[in-house]
Amino acid sequence: MSHTSTCAVFTPLDIAILTVSDTRGLDEDGSGNLLADRLAGAGHRLTERALVPDDIYRIRAQVSAWVIRSDIQVVLVNGGTGFTARDNTPEALTVLFDKVVEGYGELFRLRSFEAIGTSTIQSRAVAGVIDRTLVFSMPGSPKACAMAWDDILTAQLDARTRPCNFVAMVVKDSQRCTSRSADHHVASDTGKTARHEALEVTP
């Protein structure tokens, strides 16, 4: 079970949101709005936001343009993860991944199963790393986006989450993950130092 380190520092990330839809515009983009609110509430920064139709090459072009930028560390893609003829997000993204984050899709479907049962088998949420940029896709419904953020991403994009998180992968010189015992030792050493300094100034 993950926990929050008492000695790590929160690191805000620069995040872009891409909505994939043939029917929505930015004015009707409830899922994009939800993700923007969630990431801001968690202390991260919304760098850019876009909406493209469910077309493999439009999706791929937008994500490719973002991952080469130094001011974007995470891309959140919502929509296009189902099985209809116009659901093309996984096909657009997977060829770009240097590494696939298999556990994201597995965990998303596990959490989704608790809410919608076997219908979750039709969700093809995928995630991966492209040149030190994290890309997470999710279904286009606000409930699915809320679940992805609240149950998975909010912790994994927090440098304080232990035993591990993704922040060190995208932020150079950030603190690496440590174990619970390491946090305990740091806390113990800090306590010892404080007690020692107190003894030195005690008459």
Side-chain angles (χ1 to χ4, degrees):
M1 181 178 293
S2 63
H3 68 284
T4 302
S5 171
T6 57
C7 59
V9 178
F10 177 80
T11 303
L13 300 177
D14 299 307
I15 302 176
I17 297 174
L18 177 62
T19 295
V20 177
S21 177
D22 289 333
T23 58
R24 279 179 285 167
L26 283 175
D27 291 340
E28 303 85 36
D29 185 17
S31 296
N33 292 337
L34 182 145
L35 290 171
D37 290 342
R38 286 291 207 277
L39 71 87
H44 300 296
R45 296 180 288 260
L46 176 62
T47 304
E48 195 165 320
R49 186 171 164 184
L51 188 148
V52 297
D54 203 333
D55 175 82
I56 290 177
Y57 304 104
R58 295 284 296 275
I59 299 168
R60 197 174 291 165
Q62 183 61 72
V63 172
S64 296
W66 279 346
V67 298
I68 63 174
R69 288 172 47 174
S70 60
D71 62 337
I72 294 178
Q73 296 156 326
V74 181
V75 176
L76 305 179
V77 184
N78 73 89
T81 61
F83 274 95
T84 73
R86 293 294 292 173
D87 286 326
N88 296 304
T89 297
E91 287 76 19
L93 297 179
T94 51
V95 298
L96 301 177
F97 291 158
D98 298 320
K99 292 183 183 296
V100 179
V101 184
E102 290 93 345
Y104 168 76
E106 294 167 353
L107 184 54
F108 179 88
R109 283 180 283 277
L110 175 64
R111 300 294 293 122
S112 179
F113 177 76
E114 298 169 0
I116 63 173
T118 58
S119 294
T120 191
I121 200 171
Q122 296 195 32
S123 171
R124 299 189 298 143
V126 297
V129 183
I130 309 172
D131 192 23
R132 293 183 65 90
T133 301
L134 290 163
V135 179
F136 298 95
S137 73
M138 61 203 74
S141 74
K143 287 185 177 180
C145 291
M147 185 180 67
W149 181 269
D150 296 343
D151 294 355
I152 305 173
L153 299 180
T154 187
Q156 280 300 299
L157 299 180
D158 188 333
R160 299 168 297 182
T161 298
R162 295 297 185 266
C164 62
N165 60 77
F166 277 111
V167 177
M169 186 174 296
V170 297
V171 179
K172 293 181 179 180
D173 302 322
S174 62
Q175 184 179 5
R176 288 288 178 182
C177 297
T178 58
S179 66
R180 185 187 298 266
S181 59
D183 286 340
H184 174 73
H185 290 321
V186 170
S188 298
D189 291 342
T190 302
K192 290 177 182 177
T193 300
R195 288 193 296 272
H196 180 69
E197 290 175 348
L199 289 173
E200 286 183 339
V201 299
T202 301

